[in-house]
Amino acid sequence: MRLFGPLYDRVLAWSAHRRGPALLGALSFAESSFFPIPPDVMLMPMALARPRCWWGFALIATLGSVLGGVLGYLIGFWAIEAIEPWLTESHYAEGFDRARDWFADWGFWAVLVAGFSPIPYKVFTIAAGALTMNPLGFVVASFVGRGARFFLVSGLVAWAGPRIAPTLRRYIEWLGWLFVALLLIAIGVWQLM
């Protein structure tokens, strides 16, 4: 089944669109508080399509993500009782409980690590608000964690992307399914922790 090749071509075309940066900011904002798709799916093709603008794209993703994280924090702070029934029935329930435990042990560092890792960041933003983490510490940890991730991803794609783009396009189906398999393994490991 050819899924990733056409999707790759479409996202690459969208990323070169004049409204691409605004869409990247919106996607980054939404992913940090309620949306399941990470901004990397748009950030990487944007850095590949326009490598000289990689740092600007990384900054847009970082700022959008931190602002979305603040919304997630506010959801957790003001509305945790309202969303808790949905949360306990969703697939995020175990992650939310784990995030609470991590906050009890590591606080600031839990947010920083979650911001950099592929762990669903929205779980940590909502948990930070529900557990009334220091808001300034939350914003700083979010900015450092998310910024490190997005600047690293965008910079690497801009540096290596133009040289490997033809090879990447040739093997995109294999790489796409490999990424899905690795993501499922990471989620499984995270569930066991």
Side-chain angles (χ1 to χ4, degrees), residues 52-179:
R52 290 185 180 168
C53 301
W54 72 269
W55 62 271
F57 298 145
L59 182 61
I60 289 168
T62 301
L63 294 175
S65 186
V66 171
L67 290 173
V70 170
L71 175 62
Y73 182 97
L74 294 174
I75 289 169
F77 185 77
W78 282 326
I80 191 63
E81 290 86 17
I83 66 167
E84 208 153 22
W86 168 83
L87 189 61
T88 56
E89 294 176 13
S90 76
H91 66 279
Y92 290 118
E94 284 185 48
F96 184 75
D97 290 339
R98 190 166 303 110
R100 282 185 175 176
D101 294 341
W102 285 16
F103 275 110
D105 294 337
W106 300 310
F108 173 91
W109 298 105
V111 174
L112 192 140
V113 169
F116 188 78
S117 73
I119 297 169
Y121 185 59
K122 69 193 76 28
V123 170
F124 284 85
T125 65
I126 293 170
L131 299 172
T132 62
M133 180 182 174
N134 176 317
L136 180 61
F138 171 78
V139 169
V140 169
S142 295
F143 191 78
V144 172
R146 296 306 262 184
R149 173 180 168 173
F150 296 140
F151 275 87
L152 178 66
V153 166
S154 186
L156 285 174
V157 169
W159 173 70
R163 289 183 288 238
I164 65 168
T167 305
L168 178 64
R169 180 62 184 93
R170 192 170 343 139
Y171 296 107
I172 194 67
E173 290 299 326
W174 288 98
L175 292 171
W177 289 113
L178 177 64
F179 178 76

